[in-house]
């Protein structure tokens, strides 16, 4: 039962991490003026680009952070 509980906690942390970093990335992308790269009146496409870039960058950062924490938890096994 402890194994399944650990898997559930890891899944919850991963979901929270992805959502958190996607939100942070979306907030950070607001500083860029991407609308100057698009034609006028293309607000739907601009919003879609913001969302897709946020997902791509945010999930990459989240995966990086989760990998680093996972690897750091495995480092003690190097010295046993």
């Amino acid at each position: 039962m402890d194994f399944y509980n650990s898997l559930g906690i890891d899944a919850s942390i991963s979901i929270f991490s992805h959502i958190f970093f996607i939100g942070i990335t979306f907030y950070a992308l607001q500083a860029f003026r991407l609308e100057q790269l698009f034609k006028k009146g293309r607000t739907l496409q601009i919003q879609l680009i913001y969302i897709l870039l946020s997902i791509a960058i945010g999930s990459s950062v989240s995966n990086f952070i989760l990998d680093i924490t996972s690897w750091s938890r495995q480092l003690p096994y190097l010295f046993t």
Side-chain angles (χ1 to χ4, degrees):
M1 188 67 170
D2 188 40
F3 176 72
Y4 293 116
N5 192 17
S6 174
L7 283 178
I9 291 172
D10 285 347
S12 300
I13 290 172
S14 296
I15 290 170
F16 175 75
S17 174
H18 276 71
I19 291 172
F20 176 75
F21 283 110
I22 288 170
I24 292 293
T25 305
F26 185 77
Y27 177 73
L29 284 176
Q30 302 287 320
F32 291 109
R33 301 183 83 187
L34 291 179
E35 57 271 0
Q36 291 180 345
L37 299 174
F38 292 88
K39 298 177 184 175
K40 292 189 183 224
R42 302 288 185 156
T43 56
L44 182 64
Q45 285 87 357
I46 295 169
Q47 291 172 347
L48 188 60
I49 287 293
Y50 275 120
I51 291 170
L52 293 176
L53 280 175
S54 298
I55 291 171
I57 296 170
S59 63
S60 296
V61 171
S62 178
N63 283 331
F64 173 76
I65 297 296
L66 291 171
D67 284 343
I68 292 293
T69 57
S70 173
W71 295 332
S72 66
R73 283 188 278 159
Q74 294 172 2
L75 275 178
Y77 297 117
L78 182 65
F79 304 108
T80 59

